[in-house]
Amino acid sequence: MHPAAVNEPERAPSVATEATLAAVDFVAQVDASLRFCYVSAGSIEFLGYHRDYLSSLTLHELVPSHEIDELDALVARAQQSGKLETATLHLLKSLTTPILVELRIVATHTPDLPGFALAAFEVSQWRDREAALRHALNHDSLTGLENLTALKSALDAAQAEAIHTHTHAALLLVDIDDFQRINRALGYDAGDDMLRETARRIQHAARAGERVTRVASDEFAVLFSAGTSAEAATAAEDVARRVLSAIAQPYRYRGQHTHLSASIGAAIFPDEIEQDSSSLLRMADHALAQAKTSGGNIVVFHVPDDDPRNAERLNLEADLYEGVRNGEFSLHFQPITQSRGGGVVGVEALIRWQHPVHGLVPPTAFIPLAESIGLINYLGNWVLKAACMQLVQWDSEGFVLDYVSVNVSPQQFRDKRFTQNVKEALQLTGLDPSRLVFEITESLLMHDPEEATRLLETLAALGIAFAVDDFGTGYSSLSYLQRFPLSKLKIDRSFIENLLTSRNNQAIVAAVVGLAKSLGLELVAEGVETQAQRELLIEMGCDQIQGWLISKALPAGDLMRCFQDKTLFLQAPL
């Protein structure tokens, strides 16, 4: 073979057309001994060799020594198959720098030029980009920790290993308590800074073999393996203690000192109940929910529970979804009357579920369930619209009430769309906002007083009134009554039940009456069942009453018939 043959550009390689020459990094023709017969001008520039020098080399000399066998295998496959064969190898650029390429080779059987045609594409940058994308897919951009995607893969591997080796895996879910107050008070930059610092602290607290991830906005996880169940539990307690201690140290942002706490849910896999691929995460999440419910700053371990009521609850959950789809919910209305005259001034709208098999399901059974599975916002919005619509319909039929009262759950209250949902309900029905009263609890107000004040003032500006439901069972402080734009207090039925015989209850009701009068708030007593209770409440100065003495909660049609039959009468307009 003459070295000059390398310089013959008219020998176009059969592996690529002229149109594709510019699209590849290396195009060449080699003979049966892998000596170069043709190399394109672009390939010479790509490799960084002089053409004369390249004519003295073989393809073997452009491949690192540890990849020679792989190259020979590629050549053998091409020779045997007669088709295009591909492998990922390194080509030595300037004999020193290995560049990762995808090498394509096909045998040429022409009598005047037997050998192989080559084409190569540099894939180093592709691989780098692929690695970067893979890293982004599995890592959190704020903290640099692995994310939930990576954790799920790790959980599958850890659980499979635990089953295979008869060992245990442990998972801790760490959730910062009430972290949103940081964003509200100091801004999102401060929140991000503290999340990065929290990630650093948890990583520093973790030891070898303890894998730390960020799985949600203010939620982290620690995964590790252990021998026996007892060893795993002991290790989990130790990890939790280290993490809580690290988070409890003061944070500092632009001179502002802040303290955080965390709730931790811990679970050990496997246990005797659950051994599927997602059980460890589900168990830890369940334990975390218990920790949050307990008030936070605590570690709760998942305890296996084979209570048959769990299956009943699961069935009821499925029925609840089905009930929403089938329209099995309705509203009943309980009248609220003036204490002295007895005229009905308003109604409280109460949701009811008529189950096709179990009959009327009490709200105490399905409302907490709806809250836990995320249906409460849907149901609450439906109640709001249906209640407003019913009041407007009664107006058209000549039965005019002052207001309708609607209960608002904490989840509804914290929903970012709540205000918009209220506006949509008013616009849809045309109801005067001043005839709508929202019943909210003391605990709802005190969960986040700043946010509650903002939302109540926004809605009050529309004309909507607010009543504190079950007053006396929660915080009951004068300071919060002065702080929020409230219109009514509803004395909890527990104080009315023994009002006639309990001096303590009488003293509490008298104090609440005095408090309401001094603040200019209307007072409604719930659960009034006897005439004697009513007379005592009138004597004490209570404005309105609600309870079975007047009427139980009734469907809209039945309540209208009571108005028509004069069983109940409407308060005369002022």
Side-chain angles (χ1 to χ4, degrees):
M1 178 68 63
H2 295 287
V6 176
N7 295 317
E8 296 177 3
E10 67 274 8
R11 292 182 180 270
S14 60
V15 76
T17 66
E18 291 296 332
T20 62
L21 290 179
V24 298
D25 296 305
F26 181 75
V27 177
Q29 183 85 26
V30 296
D31 61 18
S33 60
L34 303 186
R35 286 191 174 277
F36 290 100
C37 307
Y38 167 86
V39 180
S40 70
S43 303
I44 294 291
E45 183 178 350
F46 171 71
L47 289 176
Y49 297 104
H50 289 292
R51 189 176 292 276
D52 291 342
Y53 179 69
L54 190 60
S55 66
S56 66
L57 301 180
T58 68
L59 185 57
H60 282 125
E61 292 170 281
L62 291 188
V63 174
S65 58
H66 64 276
E67 293 184 359
I68 294 294
D69 290 343
E70 191 173 352
L71 173 61
D72 288 341
L74 173 64
V75 171
R77 289 201 306 273
Q79 183 68 52
Q80 183 176 3
S81 69
K83 298 179 181 179
L84 186 69
E85 299 290 342
T86 303
T88 302
L89 300 168
H90 288 86
L91 291 182
L92 295 175
K93 192 171 185 177
S94 302
L95 290 179
T96 57
T97 306
I99 300 174
L100 189 65
V101 300
E102 182 181 290
L103 181 61
R104 299 180 180 181
I105 184 170
V106 64
T108 57
H109 301 290
T110 56
D112 60 331
L113 192 61
F116 301 90
L118 313 174
F121 307 80
E122 184 179 359
V123 295
S124 314
Q125 294 182 349
W126 297 355
R127 292 293 177 87
D128 291 343
R129 284 195 292 268
E130 182 182 10
L133 289 172
R134 189 180 299 111
H135 184 276
L137 179 64
N138 291 281
H139 288 77
D140 169 49
S141 60
L142 180 67
T143 64
L145 294 176
E146 289 183 310
N147 59 18
L148 181 60
T149 300
L151 176 63
K152 287 181 177 179
S153 297
L155 283 171
D156 289 340
Q159 292 176 165
E161 177 68 14
I163 293 174
H164 179 69
T165 60
H166 303 288
T167 57
H168 291 76
L171 177 68
L172 273 64
L173 290 182
V174 183
D175 186 272
I176 307 300
D177 295 327
D178 195 18
F179 185 76
Q180 290 305 313
R181 65 187 174 88
I182 301 297
N183 291 330
R184 291 191 299 269
L186 300 178
Y188 287 99
D189 288 343
D192 288 348
D193 186 75
M194 291 185 189
L195 287 173
R196 283 189 290 266
E197 172 63 13
T198 300
R200 187 195 65 78
R201 292 185 184 189
I202 297 176
Q203 277 187 300
H204 188 264
R207 295 173 181 168
E210 296 170 356
R211 189 168 185 168
V212 180
T213 58
R214 183 187 181 207
V215 297
S217 174
D218 55 359
E219 187 173 319
F220 300 84
V222 184
L223 174 67
F224 58 92
S225 299
T228 66
S229 179
E231 290 171 343
T234 301
E237 289 180 358
D238 178 59
V239 174
R241 176 187 56 78
R242 284 186 266 125
V243 169
L244 288 180
S245 177
I247 294 175
Q249 302 304 310
Y251 288 73
R252 185 180 180 88
Y253 180 78
R254 295 183 179 177
Q256 173 80 42
H257 281 89
T258 305
H259 289 81
L260 299 179
S261 64
S263 301
I264 297 182
I268 311 298
F269 179 91
D271 65 21
E272 65 273 23
I273 301 301
E274 301 179 89
Q275 293 190 13
D276 63 90
S277 61
S278 63
S279 61
L280 186 54
L281 184 60
R282 183 169 62 251
M283 291 187 295
D285 190 60
H286 179 70
L288 177 60
Q290 291 180 305
K292 301 293 283 186
T293 302
S294 300
N297 197 25
I298 192 175
V299 182
V300 172
F301 277 77
H302 176 267
V303 177
D305 184 6
D306 56 357
D307 192 332
R309 287 176 296 181
N310 289 339
E312 294 176 8
R313 183 184 185 279
L314 194 61
N315 290 333
L316 188 63
E317 178 180 318
D319 289 349
L320 188 58
Y321 280 105
E322 195 69 21
V324 168
R325 286 192 290 268
N326 295 337
E328 296 170 3
F329 293 88
S330 63
L331 287 186
H332 286 196
F333 298 87
Q334 187 168 36
I336 301 171
T337 70
Q338 294 286 5
S339 300
R340 291 186 179 277
V344 178
V345 294
V347 289
E348 180 180 354
L350 300 167
I351 190 170
R352 295 291 185 261
W353 180 16
Q354 187 66 37
H355 193 283
V357 176
H358 304 299
L360 197 64
V361 180
T364 53
F366 73 82
I367 292 296
L369 181 59
E371 290 176 337
S372 69
I373 63 177
L375 278 178
I376 194 63
N377 286 339
Y378 173 86
L379 290 176
N381 291 336
W382 175 81
V383 169
L384 173 60
K385 292 176 181 177
C388 293
M389 198 173 298
Q390 185 59 62
L391 202 62
V392 171
Q393 182 178 337
W394 278 331
D395 287 348
S396 67
E397 296 169 345
F399 302 99
V400 181
L401 299 170
D402 289 351
Y403 66 89
V404 61
S405 184
V406 175
N407 291 277
V408 177
S409 77
Q411 284 190 32
Q412 270 184 283
F413 196 73
R414 291 192 285 269
D415 183 8
K416 293 181 179 179
R417 282 190 48 83
F418 180 60
T419 300
Q420 184 59 36
N421 290 336
V422 173
K423 292 179 180 178
E424 289 175 359
L426 294 172
Q427 184 177 10
L428 173 69
T429 61
L431 182 70
D432 184 341
S434 64
R435 300 177 68 194
L436 178 61
V437 176
F438 283 145
E439 294 194 13
I440 52 182
T441 62
E442 297 171 82
S443 58
L444 180 151
L445 293 172
M446 299 308 294
H447 174 77
D448 187 344
E450 289 77 15
E451 180 64 16
T453 300
R454 184 198 65 77
L455 182 55
L456 262 62
E457 288 177 348
T458 299
L459 294 172
L462 299 176
I464 295 169
F466 298 93
V468 179
D469 196 16
D470 300 336
F471 185 76
T473 61
Y475 295 87
S476 304
S477 72
L478 180 61
S479 61
Y480 96 75
L481 289 177
Q482 293 175 317
R483 178 175 190 172
F484 300 116
L486 304 173
S487 300
K488 301 176 184 289
L489 297 181
K490 299 191 75 173
I491 304 175
D492 185 66
R493 66 183 63 249
S494 61
F495 298 112
I496 305 302
E497 183 179 6
N498 298 315
L499 182 63
L500 300 177
T501 57
S502 170
R503 290 187 177 181
N504 287 340
N505 285 11
Q506 291 174 14
I508 290 172
V509 172
V512 173
V513 170
L515 183 61
K517 298 298 183 185
S518 66
L519 295 175
L521 303 176
E522 288 188 337
L523 196 64
V524 181
E526 296 182 294
V528 179
E529 297 184 357
T530 68
Q531 183 63 26
Q533 290 172 338
R534 174 182 181 174
E535 291 174 354
L536 182 54
L537 287 167
I538 292 173
E539 181 182 333
M540 298 175 104
C542 182
D543 302 300
Q544 299 172 1
I545 61 173
Q546 177 180 352
W548 280 36
L549 174 65
I550 307 302
S551 172
K552 65 179 181 179
L554 296 171
D558 292 348
L559 188 59
M560 187 178 69
R561 281 189 286 274
C562 289
F563 291 143
Q564 291 172 328
D565 299 340
K566 306 299 182 182
T567 306
L568 294 171
F569 69 90
L570 298 172
Q571 175 74 14
L574 296 177

